[in-house]
Every structure is written in structure tokens, then in C-alpha cells.
Amino acid sequence: ISKGRYDVEKVIETISPSMDIQLASNFERLIYDLNDHNDKKTIGAMKDIKENGKYLISKENLKKINANFLSSSTNEDEILSIIKNVYTEFNVILDPHTAIGYSAFDKINLDGNNIVLATAHPCKFPDAIEKAINIKSELPNELLYILDEEEKYDIVENNLDKIKNHIKERI
């Protein structure tokens, strides 16, 4: 989107599965913000993207985006290399998503001190970690109990008032 155009492309499976999508909910939120929180315009834009496979961003909106966002991309070989290099240099194992964020610093050249926040535990990506540093990343002992826990969830009708009430009842 850095150049004012969003194109839907073919999705391929990668070692960072949350990146294996074409129309992210975060992008919809961005469009909603750009449309001054107008849900009808946002719904129209999302429908247009789904039908036509592209979205053109006006110069005014692109200026708003560029004031707050920078972007870069990282391929799988780079991700694996970053995981390996960070582990070698700092003895820290990055998950693939965090490695993507980490790689952006080298490509974007931000001034000042910067922080990368980890987005997932490496054990969620055992194949990628093993491929990068030949270590089988396992669930930490303090989290092993979750494997035996019953999953708890509620199904709530797609109705804003019912969702609000559901949340209020549990606060």
C-alpha cells in the first residue's frame, strides 16, 4: 500500500501463517479510519476489493497513511537468516512474525532507538525454528497445563446490542 495501491494476489503457505492472507482485518480497520469511521464507505471499499481484487488509495489518504506507517517485506530465506543471526548474537529465539518486524529496521532505516515487540512464542513455529537454528522449540513448562485445559467460548449472535450485553455481563 506504500505506493497507493492494494492488490489481492495468490496466497501461498509460508512459515509465518498469519501473513498468509490477502485481506487482513487490520487493513479494514485502516480503511475505516481513513473513511472517518464511516462504516458504509468501509463496507463498500471492502466489497470492492473482494470483487475487483484491488483498492486504489487517494493521494490524501496515502499521505495520512505515510504519516504513521512504514512498510517493507521479508522473504522466507531472510526470516530464517534473521532468526539464526539474532539467536547467534543475542541467544534469543525469534518467532517468524517477530523476525519480520525485526528485519524491517534494517530496510527502513529509522532514526533513534527502536523497539521490536515479540508477537508470538517460537514454539508456535517448531518447523521454522528447527530449520533456522536446528533447535526444537517447545512449549515452556509454565504453559504445559494449557494442553489439558478445556477450551471455553461462547457463541454470540451477530448483533451489536447482544455482544455489548454479553461483554457487560462478564465484567
Side-chain angles (χ1 to χ4, degrees), residues 93 122-123 126-127 129-131 133-139:
I93 302 174
C123 72
D127 295 339
I129 303 306
E130 190 165 15
K131 189 173 183 179
I133 58 176
N134 203 28
I135 291 177
K136 183 167 173 56
S137 185
E138 296 184 9
L139 192 63

Side-chain angles (χ1 to χ4, degrees), residues 123-165:
C123 72
K124 288 180 66 178
F125 309 93
D127 295 339
I129 303 306
E130 190 165 15
K131 189 173 183 179
I133 58 176
N134 203 28
I135 291 177
K136 183 167 173 56
S137 185
E138 296 184 9
L139 192 63
N141 289 336
E142 61 268 18
L143 295 178
L144 285 174
Y145 74 92
I146 67 170
L147 298 175
D148 297 322
E149 291 290 313
E150 178 184 346
E151 184 176 5
K152 297 178 184 177
Y153 61 90
D154 295 312
I155 298 174
V156 180
E157 185 180 333
N158 186 7
N159 175 294
L160 185 57
D161 290 328
K162 290 185 179 186
I163 293 169
K164 285 179 182 179
N165 287 333

